[in-house]
Amino acid sequence: MEFVLAELSDQVMTARAAQRPLSIRGGATKRFYGEATDLEDLHSHAVLDMSSLCGVVNYQPAELVITARAGTLLSDIEQVLDQEGQMLAFEPPRLGAASTLGGCVASGLSGPRRMAAGSLRDFVLGAKLLDSSGVVLEFGGEVMKNVAGYDVSRLLAGSMGVFGALVEVSLKVVPKPFEEATLVLQATEAEALQHFGRWRTMPLAISATSWEDPGDGGRVSVRLSGSGSAVAAGVRRIGGERLNEDEAQAYWVSLRDQTHAFFRARPLWRLALPPRARALQAGPTLIEWNGGQRWLAADADPLDLRRRVQALGGHATLYRYDYKPVGVPVFHPLAAGLLDVSRRLKQEFDPVGIFNPKRLFSEF
C-alpha cells in the first residue's frame, strides 16, 4: 500500500505543478451528487483513482473502533463488523456495490438510523488526508493538533473532496441491536408529523421513521431497535401492523440505499428541516428522521423553495436532477461566515485549487 500511496502522491504533485485539476474517485457511485463539472474532460483534468488504496488497517471490536483505507468497499467493512455483531450506526447509503469508505465520508450522507444514532460526522474519530503538496496529513485523536482549533477530521465529512483526498478514516462502531420490529400505521402527512412529535417525548426505542403516500392516503413506518423488552414495550405503545422481518429489512434497505421508487424522481430535493416544521405542501414528499429529512419530488422554483425552507430553519439541496437552471447552486448557499471558514480551509490544504474544483461551492 505504500507504493500505491506514493503513486497517488506523485500524481498530486504533478497535477499541482501543471495546475491541472484532479477529480477524486473511489467507486464512482456518487458522481451524480454535487455540482456538475467538466472533471471528466481528461484534456484539462485528471482522475485521482483511490480504489486501489483499500483494506482494513486496524479493528479492535472491544474498543468499538475500525480504521480502514479510503478505497475500502463499504460492503467489506460491514462484513468484518458483522462477524463481531457490530455495525456502522449511521447506516451510510451504499448506492451500489462499488461504494467506498472515502466516498461515504466525503459525501457525508447518513441513512435511516441517523435520527437515533447521530450523523456520519459524529462517528469520525480521525482521518488522513493527502493534500495538494503530496503530503499526508493526520487529524484526530492523539495524532495532530487541528488547524485553527477546528476538528478537521469531522470537517472532512461532507466536504466532497475539495480539501484533499481522504487516505484513511477511523470510525466509531456500535453493537447491533438484540431485536428489531417495524410497525406501519395509516396517517396523513400532518398526522405523521404529529405522531413524530409525540413519540419524541416518550421513552421509545425508535431507530427509524418514515412517511410516504403511495396512493392510499399516507402511511407511517416505525422501526424499534434494542432489547426484547424495549421493543415489545414500543410495539404495545405505538400499535399498527407489524411487518415480517424480511419485509421490514427490504423496506429500510430501500430507503438507506435509495432504491425505493421515490428516488427515481427528477428533480429530487433533499430538505433538512427542524422536525417540528410544518408540512411544506410543495409536492410529493417522503419524510425520514422524525421529520428532520424530507425528500421532495417537485419541479419547484429554487429561490422560492429555499426561501420557504430557510424561513422554517432549514436548507434545501438539489439532490438529483437532469437539468439545473443557470445560476442555481446544488447546495443551499452558506452564510457569509461559514463560507469564509470553508475558503480559509481550502487555502490551507489546497491553495492551488486542484482538488474537485467547484464540486461543493461555485466560489472554489
Side-chain angles (χ1 to χ4, degrees), residues 90 108-110 113-115 117-124 289:
F90 51 92
L109 299 174
S110 302
R113 206 179 297 268
R114 183 251 187 266
M115 59 157 286
S119 68
L120 178 152
R121 180 177 285 107
D122 299 324
F123 288 84
V124 176
W289 303 355

Side-chain angles (χ1 to χ4, degrees), residues 20 101 128 150 210 268:
R20 187 185 189 196
L101 175 62
K128 292 184 180 180
Y150 298 115
S210 74
L268 180 65

